[in-house]
């Protein structure tokens, strides 16, 4: 089990240390976190000896353990093999080209697109369903690069609860300790809605990752249904994993806003770090738009035009542009989030009722995207930049960069 693997790993580390250091005294000790022997310790290590500590109360660790397993590794090889077997000479294709084929594959049968993994410890029984497993694997390979999958698993295996403020969502969030990923537990309705548009999501992601198609969507890199049975209790979580837009940044130094194109206010005294709304941004700027260099403004406009067109075709509404303003370095980091709400009968009813007394935040997809774009146009305006700055901003972002744009005082 995992304890034997940890003991072996510690023993190997001690042997290596003894070979390299001649001055280790007899009292040398290695501390192993007691948590390793308290919860689900009898689970076997994953593929290639990868060790993931499973905490049944943290779905990200259950997912990480499943992704590291020999079962998932074999199933993934089979799925990818089936896709590439249709190619005349798959060996001659580059790694990125192979992953593009997998990303764009449309599976007709559920067993061909999802990987189901069941396992158990002395305390719990687990079931993890990785939806669109090979396509998300391919997206991660293209987006994260070499060794990205192993780093992705390690990140999910080490996360902590993360509280957000300012939005209406009651979702639970975790953030990986390396700050790279956000793990979000969503409702079954949101989960199933997004699954229904993945047939369009993957080709759109292919354009953004492989063809440098401008986009500000915060990428969703995996979706999982996690079931944990403890005695007679069964807990089911619907989990999506997405990039952390503010990875490596000190959020406490940023001014954060959630923008929908409709003037809304936070509605109470905002504490430091709170995510404010459209009206709060206009209040901060005294009703004037934020000045942005011309190239940055063009990139923003192209990206949001592409994103809203994609979301509109999927009948998606209620998404936001979240921005973090770094007033010291005069940069804005931004991305489109919360694009998991469809214009279903509940939203139609909400729209019909609210329009009787006030302007509804919820609107039909076409109307929502028009209002969203019109609002963004009011919040930012282009100004000329110095030639050197123009040249620097004209370079293309790499696939792993967040959208970081220059603003002026």
């Amino acid at each position: 089990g995992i304890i034997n693997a940890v003991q072996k790993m510690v023993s190997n580390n001690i042997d290596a240390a003894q070979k390299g250091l001649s001055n280790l005294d007899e009292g040398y000790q290695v501390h192993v976190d007691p948590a390793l022997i308290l919860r689900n310790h009898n689970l076997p290590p994953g593929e290639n000896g990868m060790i993931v500590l499973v905490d049944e109360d943290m779905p990200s660790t259950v997912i990480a353990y499943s992704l590291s397993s020999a079962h998932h590794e074999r199933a993934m090889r089979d799925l990818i093999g089936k896709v590439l077997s249709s190619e005349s000479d798959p060996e001659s294709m580059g790694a990125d080209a192979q992953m593009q084929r997998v990303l764009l594959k449309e599976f007709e049968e559920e067993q061909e697109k999802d990987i189901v993994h069941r396992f158990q410890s002395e305390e719990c029984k687990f079931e993890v369903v990785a939806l669109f497993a090979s396509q998300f694997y391919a997206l991660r390979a293209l987006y994260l690069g070499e060794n990205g999958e192993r780093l992705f698993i390690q990140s999910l295996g080490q996360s902590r609860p993360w509280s957000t403020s300012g939005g209406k969502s009651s979702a639970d969030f975790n953030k990986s300790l390396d700050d790279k990923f956000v793990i979000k537990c969503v409702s079954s309705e949101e989960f199933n809605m997004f699954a229904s548009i993945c047939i369009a999501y993957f080709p759109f992601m292919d354009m953004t990752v492989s063809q440098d198609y401008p986009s500000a969507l915060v990428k969703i890199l995996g979706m999982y249904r996690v079931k944990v049975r403890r005695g007679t209790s069964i807990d089911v979580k619907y989990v999506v994993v997405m990039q952390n837009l503010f990875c490596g940044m000190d959020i406490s130094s940023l001014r954060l806003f959630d923008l929908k194109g409709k003037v809304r206010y936070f509605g109470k005294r905002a504490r430091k770090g709170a995510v404010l709304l459209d009206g709060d941004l206009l209040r901060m700027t005294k009703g004037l738009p934020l000045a942005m260099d011309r190239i940055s403004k063009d990139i923003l406009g192209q990206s949001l035009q592409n994103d809203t067109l994609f979301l509109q075709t999927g009948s998606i509404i209620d998404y936001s542009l979240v921005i973090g303003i770094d007033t010291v370095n005069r940069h804005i980091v931004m991305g489109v989030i919360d694009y998991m709400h469809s214009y279903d009968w509940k939203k139609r009813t909400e729209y019909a009722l609210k329009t009787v007394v006030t302007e509804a935040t919820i609107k039909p997809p076409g109307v929502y995207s028009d209002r969203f774009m019109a609002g963004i146009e009011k919040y930012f305006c282009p100004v000329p930049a110095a030639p050197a700055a123009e040249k620097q901003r004209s370079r293309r972002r790499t696939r792993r960069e967040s959208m970081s744009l220059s603003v002026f005082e």
Side-chain angles (χ1 to χ4, degrees):
I2 194 169
I3 295 302
N4 292 332
V6 171
Q7 289 173 339
K8 182 178 179 181
M9 178 182 68
V10 170
S11 176
N12 290 340
N13 287 343
I14 292 176
D15 290 342
Q18 287 175 334
K19 291 177 182 178
L21 298 173
S22 59
N23 60 345
L24 283 175
D25 60 35
E26 294 181 357
Y28 182 83
Q29 295 180 338
V30 175
H31 173 73
V32 178
D33 192 328
L36 284 171
I37 60 174
L38 292 178
R39 311 183 84 159
N40 306 298
H41 60 82
N42 60 322
L43 289 169
E47 191 75 348
N48 301 316
M50 183 179 289
I51 296 173
V52 177
L53 174 63
V54 174
D55 181 345
E56 63 270 20
D57 295 322
M58 296 187 69
S60 59
T61 66
V62 182
I63 295 167
Y65 180 83
S66 179
L67 295 182
S68 73
S69 68
H71 170 87
H72 190 91
E73 184 89 2
R74 287 193 301 269
M76 185 63 71
R77 280 200 301 265
D78 290 344
L79 285 176
I80 293 175
K82 287 180 182 178
V83 176
L84 298 182
S85 64
S86 61
E87 299 294 330
S88 58
D89 187 13
E91 296 299 324
S92 65
M93 301 167 62
D96 279 5
Q98 290 183 348
M99 289 300 98
Q100 274 186 279
R101 295 291 193 278
V102 176
L103 182 65
L104 297 173
K105 173 66 176 177
E106 295 182 14
F107 292 107
E108 297 179 358
E109 300 295 329
E110 187 171 300
Q111 62 267 27
E112 291 184 326
K113 65 182 178 64
D114 302 341
I115 293 178
V116 181
H117 183 207
R118 299 181 181 91
F119 54 98
Q120 66 182 68
S121 67
E122 292 178 354
E123 299 89 356
C124 304
K125 292 183 178 179
F126 303 92
E127 180 184 273
V128 177
V129 180
L131 276 75
F132 302 98
S134 59
Q135 288 101 324
F136 276 117
Y137 176 90
L139 176 59
R140 293 193 296 270
L142 291 168
Y143 177 65
L144 301 175
E146 189 176 359
N147 297 320
E149 187 68 9
R150 186 176 183 87
L151 296 175
F152 179 74
I153 295 171
Q154 291 173 342
S155 295
L156 295 189
Q158 303 178 76
S159 65
R160 62 179 180 272
W162 182 46
S163 62
T164 62
S165 62
K168 297 183 295 182
S169 174
S170 59
D172 295 327
F173 291 86
N174 275 32
K175 187 162 63 170
S176 62
L177 292 182
D178 60 12
D179 209 36
K180 292 180 179 178
F181 304 104
V182 172
I183 302 100
K184 182 180 181 181
C185 293
V186 300
S187 68
S188 59
E189 290 83 2
E190 291 173 309
F191 190 83
N192 293 329
M193 187 288 303
F194 185 69
S196 70
I197 68 163
C198 276
I199 192 172
Y201 176 73
F202 294 123
F204 186 74
M205 286 294 100
D206 175 61
M207 290 191 294
T208 66
V209 175
S210 303
Q211 303 174 35
D212 287 326
Y213 194 67
S215 170
L217 285 188
V218 174
K219 295 177 180 63
I220 291 176
L221 299 171
M223 54 189 308
Y224 310 89
R225 186 171 66 246
V226 180
K227 181 187 296 185
V228 180
R229 180 191 293 269
R230 284 173 282 200
T232 59
S233 170
I234 299 177
D235 185 30
V236 180
K237 298 286 188 183
Y238 299 89
V239 183
V240 294
V241 182
M242 62 194 78
Q243 67 179 122
N244 178 16
L245 183 64
F246 302 112
C247 175
M249 303 182 70
D250 180 8
I251 294 185
S252 64
S253 67
L254 301 177
R255 305 194 70 170
L256 302 174
F257 296 88
D258 180 280
L259 308 177
K260 293 181 181 291
K262 177 180 183 288
V263 177
R264 309 163 296 146
Y265 294 92
F266 189 73
K268 55 186 175 181
R269 187 177 180 84
R271 66 180 184 273
K272 186 177 181 180
V275 182
L276 304 179
L277 306 177
D278 304 56
D280 303 301
L281 176 65
L282 294 174
R283 182 183 289 161
M284 183 190 78
T285 63
K286 297 180 173 59
L288 299 174
L290 284 170
M292 177 180 290
D293 74 63
R294 181 184 58 81
I295 290 180
S296 292
K297 181 62 169 60
D298 288 346
I299 293 172
L300 175 62
Q302 292 169 15
S303 299
L304 296 183
Q305 189 67 46
N306 295 336
D307 293 338
T308 54
L309 180 60
F310 162 69
L311 296 173
Q312 183 179 338
T313 58
S315 295
I316 309 301
I317 59 170
D318 211 22
Y319 46 86
S320 306
L321 180 71
V322 64
I323 70 172
I325 303 176
D326 183 344
T327 56
V328 176
N329 297 307
R330 294 190 297 179
H331 275 79
I332 298 180
V333 177
M334 59 181 66
V336 175
I337 63 169
D338 290 342
Y339 50 92
M340 300 186 72
H341 305 277
S342 65
Y343 192 61
D344 56 15
W345 68 269
K346 290 183 181 179
K347 299 295 185 183
R348 294 173 191 270
T349 303
E350 180 182 347
Y351 170 67
L353 292 175
K354 286 190 174 181
T355 50
V356 174
V357 293
T358 185
E359 182 189 359
T361 299
I362 300 302
K363 289 184 178 292
V367 180
Y368 187 92
S369 64
D370 289 344
R371 187 188 66 187
F372 178 82
M373 291 298 295
I376 300 304
E377 284 296 318
K378 294 178 184 176
Y379 305 152
F380 305 97
C381 71
V383 296
E390 288 270 324
K391 184 176 181 181
Q392 182 180 8
R393 291 305 306 159
S394 64
R395 74 168 183 84
R396 293 191 175 194
R397 291 181 294 128
T398 68
R399 62 183 61 164
R400 285 176 286 278
E401 285 183 314
S402 299
M403 179 171 285
S404 179
L405 305 174
S406 299
V407 294
F408 297 90
E409 294 179 330

